[in-house]
Amino acid sequence: MNTQQLFWYGVSKDEIPAIAFGGGAGRGRDLLAPSDLLTDNAIAVGYAATTSYAYTYKPPSVFVMRESDAIESLSWIRVYAPDTFPLSQFARVVSDNEWPLFEKDLLSEVSGRPDRWASIVLGEVLAQGEPDSEIGRIPLSRGSATFSMPLARCLTLHDNEKLAVLCRERLRMAETDRRFVRRPVSTTDLEPVWALAQSSIDHALSAKDAVEVVVNSAHAYQRNVESRTGTSSPKITDYKELYGDSAEERVLAFQKLVASIEASRSTSVTTVATLAAAAFLVGRGTSHSFLLRKVPALAPRAFAWFGLIASYVGVRGWDPQWTRAAKGLEKQIRAGFDWADPPSADICWIEYSWLANKFSNAQPYAEIAQTTTRTLSIEVVPGSTCQFRLVATEPTKVPKNETNPSAARSVRETELQAILDQFMSLATKAGQILGTSTSKPASSQGSLPLSKTTPPSKPSRSKKSSPKYPDS
């Protein structure tokens, strides 16, 4: 559904709670756009013309906020109407500055190549996952936790390069949030991969041609962007056996390349792309992606480049496991988008941006109702969601003897009683040995019996008040 099928009302922040729960619309209906309504109101509320519910229930579809008033409005809602924060649980929330990017109709047909983006997303899934992950056992839901998925969705749904640039910028901003777990592959690592994914090459390439395009492009990127000097990267053309018909020779050539990379200690973009290209040539497709793990330091980035090469070759170069996973991810990329549908993310970007700048701890994130435990999914741009894992807080370590207060107290009391009993027993023995008597003057002291010829005096039995303790 395009934006022309939304109609708008202007509301103040005080009216938001009732509006959010579907209690009715505000003032000043405008069938065209929310921009005129925002001159007199802090928020414009959009309703889908196709929404059909009970007469008394009218849920909103979009909240458009003046960016200059967003801080005040969101603060008021969080403090005075906490049951309606975040507004993303009711409808999408966007700023008036970004809304013009959506005013044109959505494309009736997807743009770009979702199948190619699916291969790139799969490469990043392998890069961001555990080192020993097998493609066939990786849940497809992990695609939403990659940086490539929201960009692929953005480029597929919206015919607007400015929106794609905005999506990349926001991903970089969220990546720097220390309350999120740091990922093995950064947006900076993915930038050259994304640039090549948007190339004008529309037909499928052979494995040899795809490798040549990718490695040369990586070298050009390194030379123009990174401007690195020093150790040179191994050249894949020096290992001609990789292009031969013998599988055994291809494996041996790959091992030689790995040894050369380890000796050079190069971590450049060209080296990473060369490693990915060599693994692709060994299997003449995606079947030998596991070889990348032989260089653990480069493997995460190399998986992203491996996915790019696979995207150029197409399905004829994919093994069955890669094909099933890539097609499953492609369904997510091609999924439809409708302004009438509520967002599937936990929070929209304008709300996340405010929380990230307002608070320094992760408590505000934890208070949000989360779709998945210990993660926060953010709608970077409408229709494009990225999932971030929250940094786990270490629980306070309690000493073992204090884990159960009542049990610890019982142990201490038992030990004290035993010590007292031992002390009283020793006191009785000492009294018997020293022959002390309460009738003697304080200045008179007994002497230790150094000889058996002088028996110790026994304590008087006539005093009932003196306690009697058994010998131990």
Side-chain angles (χ1 to χ4, degrees):
M1 189 188 81
N2 58 44
T3 58
Q4 275 67 38
Q5 292 177 289
L6 295 171
F7 57 90
W8 300 89
Y9 292 92
V11 297
S12 65
K13 61 178 182 294
D14 299 346
E15 298 173 282
I16 287 297
I19 295 291
F21 284 106
R27 305 168 302 278
R29 178 174 175 177
D30 184 348
L31 291 175
L32 298 178
S35 54
D36 295 335
L37 298 172
L38 288 173
T39 57
D40 300 321
N41 303 277
I43 300 173
V45 183
Y47 291 88
T50 57
T51 302
S52 178
Y53 293 104
Y55 180 75
T56 57
Y57 178 60
K58 198 171 187 180
S61 295
V62 189
F63 292 104
V64 178
M65 290 186 173
R66 275 202 306 256
E67 196 154 322
S68 57
D69 298 331
I71 294 177
E72 179 184 352
S73 299
L74 293 173
S75 298
W76 186 93
I77 294 170
R78 188 173 186 271
V79 173
Y80 296 103
D83 53 340
T84 59
F85 186 86
L87 286 176
S88 302
Q89 61 188 320
F90 304 96
R92 282 186 170 81
V93 186
V94 298
S95 70
D96 60 337
N97 289 341
E98 63 181 305
W99 178 255
L101 299 175
F102 310 109
E103 286 185 325
K104 62 167 59 179
D105 293 354
L106 291 177
L107 294 176
S108 56
E109 297 182 359
V110 296
S111 62
R113 291 288 301 271
D115 57 334
R116 285 188 172 176
W117 276 104
S119 190
I120 293 169
V121 170
L122 178 54
E124 189 182 346
V125 168
L126 294 171
Q128 308 286 18
E130 293 81 5
D132 57 347
S133 299
E134 294 184 12
I135 298 177
R137 298 182 180 180
I138 296 177
L140 296 180
S141 59
R142 291 188 183 178
S144 61
T146 64
F147 293 126
S148 298
M149 176 63 81
L151 181 59
R153 288 276 297 164
C154 179
L155 291 168
T156 301
L157 291 173
H158 307 287
D159 184 21
N160 195 313
E161 181 59 28
K162 291 182 179 179
L163 193 59
V165 172
L166 181 64
C167 181
R168 290 193 292 266
E169 290 176 352
R170 288 179 171 179
L171 288 172
R172 282 193 291 268
M173 291 172 60
E175 180 187 20
T176 60
D177 194 329
R178 293 178 297 177
R179 289 157 288 193
F180 297 142
V181 174
R182 187 177 180 84
R183 303 184 182 186
V185 178
S186 67
T187 53
T188 302
D189 297 329
L190 293 168
E191 281 290 350
V193 175
W194 291 342
L196 288 172
Q198 295 178 256
S199 68
S200 57
I201 299 175
D202 192 47
H203 58 281
L205 301 178
S206 66
K208 180 180 178 181
D209 290 342
V211 164
E212 182 179 355
V213 169
V214 169
V215 172
N216 290 341
S217 299
H219 182 67
Y221 177 86
Q222 178 182 328
R223 184 176 62 251
N224 298 330
V225 178
E226 291 188 349
S227 301
R228 290 193 178 187
T229 57
T231 57
S232 59
S233 303
K235 295 181 180 179
I236 196 169
T237 53
D238 293 339
Y239 301 87
K240 300 186 184 300
E241 295 84 357
L242 288 170
Y243 298 90
D245 294 331
S246 171
E248 183 179 356
E249 290 182 356
R250 294 199 300 268
V251 171
L252 292 175
F254 180 83
Q255 292 175 344
K256 292 179 183 178
L257 175 64
V258 169
S260 176
I261 291 174
E262 291 175 341
S264 67
R265 296 183 179 180
S266 174
T267 60
S268 67
V269 169
T270 303
T271 301
V272 174
T274 300
L275 177 64
F280 197 90
L281 288 175
V282 169
R284 291 187 170 179
T286 59
S287 60
H288 285 61
S289 61
F290 61 88
L291 291 176
L292 298 176
R293 299 192 180 97
K294 291 186 175 294
V295 189
L298 304 183
R301 295 162 60 197
F303 272 117
W305 286 90
F306 189 91
L308 175 65
I309 297 172
S311 72
Y312 275 138
V313 175
V315 68
R316 65 180 182 178
W318 299 353
D319 66 280
Q321 286 192 344
W322 188 281
T323 301
R324 286 192 293 268
K327 287 302 177 182
L329 292 169
E330 184 183 345
K331 288 195 303 181
Q332 299 179 29
I333 297 174
R334 294 171 54 193
F337 173 79
D338 197 316
W339 288 101
D341 296 334
S344 59
D346 300 329
I347 193 170
C348 290
W349 179 262
I350 189 172
E351 295 168 313
Y352 161 73
S353 179
W354 174 71
L355 287 176
N357 294 323
K358 179 70 174 178
F359 302 93
S360 59
N361 56 25
Q363 184 60 31
Y365 298 167
E367 294 174 354
I368 297 172
Q370 299 165 3
T371 305
T372 307
T373 307
R374 294 189 298 276
T375 63
L376 185 70
S377 57
I378 305 171
E379 189 171 63
V380 184
V381 297
S384 301
T385 298
C386 190
Q387 187 180 83
F388 295 87
R389 180 166 292 278
L390 297 170
V391 173
T393 55
E394 290 291 336
T396 304
K397 294 184 178 180
V398 181
K400 292 182 179 180
N401 62 340
E402 296 182 4
T403 54
N404 189 335
S406 60
R409 185 165 52 253
S410 176
V411 171
R412 287 195 296 270
E413 290 175 354
T414 303
E415 292 176 348
L416 286 172
Q417 185 63 44
I419 292 171
L420 287 173
D421 291 343
Q422 186 178 8
F423 174 79
M424 296 303 293
S425 178
L426 291 173
T428 301
K429 279 189 175 182
Q432 293 174 350
I433 294 172
L434 295 174
T436 56
S437 176
T438 56
S439 61
K440 293 183 179 182
S443 60
S444 176
Q445 299 180 359
S447 59
L448 290 173
L450 301 178
S451 174
K452 293 182 180 181
T453 58
T454 308
S457 59
K458 296 182 180 180
S460 176
R461 297 175 180 271
S462 60
K463 294 185 178 182
K464 297 181 179 180
S465 60
S466 300
K468 184 178 181 179
Y469 299 97
D471 294 338
S472 59

